[in-house]
Amino acid sequence: MVRKNIELGNVANVQEFNRICSHMDFDVDLAQGKYLVDAKSIMGIFSLDLEKPLELCASTDDEALIAEKFKAYIR
């Protein structure tokens, strides 16, 4: 599992982030406090507080892929 701290911030970023996640052939989740949502669900992402940092949890060991695909969001 690869975990990265990310920030989305606005609707355009959420849409692009969700599009990227939807093309992954493994599970991608977002964690914030006690909440964990499927990052392939745009409604799930919007249920989180986008002004605060999020934790990306990808069910893969390919750190290079995650770093490349999500470089615009990793903090």
Side-chain angles (χ1 to χ4, degrees), residues 6 12 16 27 31 33 36-37 44 52 54 56 59-60 63 65 72-73:
I6 65 165
E16 180 61 18
D27 289 337
L36 182 70
V37 299
K52 295 182 180 173
L54 304 165
L56 171 70
S59 297
T60 181
E63 292 216 26
L65 173 68
Y73 310 106

Side-chain angles (χ1 to χ4, degrees), residues 18-74:
N18 179 253
R19 187 191 65 74
I20 294 167
C21 290
S22 296
H23 289 97
M24 299 292 155
D25 61 350
F26 47 82
D27 289 337
V28 184
D29 297 314
L30 285 176
Q32 186 176 60
K34 64 181 180 179
Y35 300 104
L36 182 70
V37 299
D38 183 354
K40 295 179 182 181
S41 165
I42 199 155
M43 292 301 290
I45 297 172
F46 280 122
S47 72
L48 301 172
D49 184 352
L50 300 177
E51 297 296 318
K52 295 182 180 173
L54 304 165
E55 184 179 29
L56 171 70
C57 306
S59 297
T60 181
D61 291 326
D62 192 348
E63 292 216 26
L65 173 68
I66 299 302
E68 175 191 334
K69 295 291 185 180
F70 299 105
K71 65 184 170 193
Y73 310 106
I74 295 173

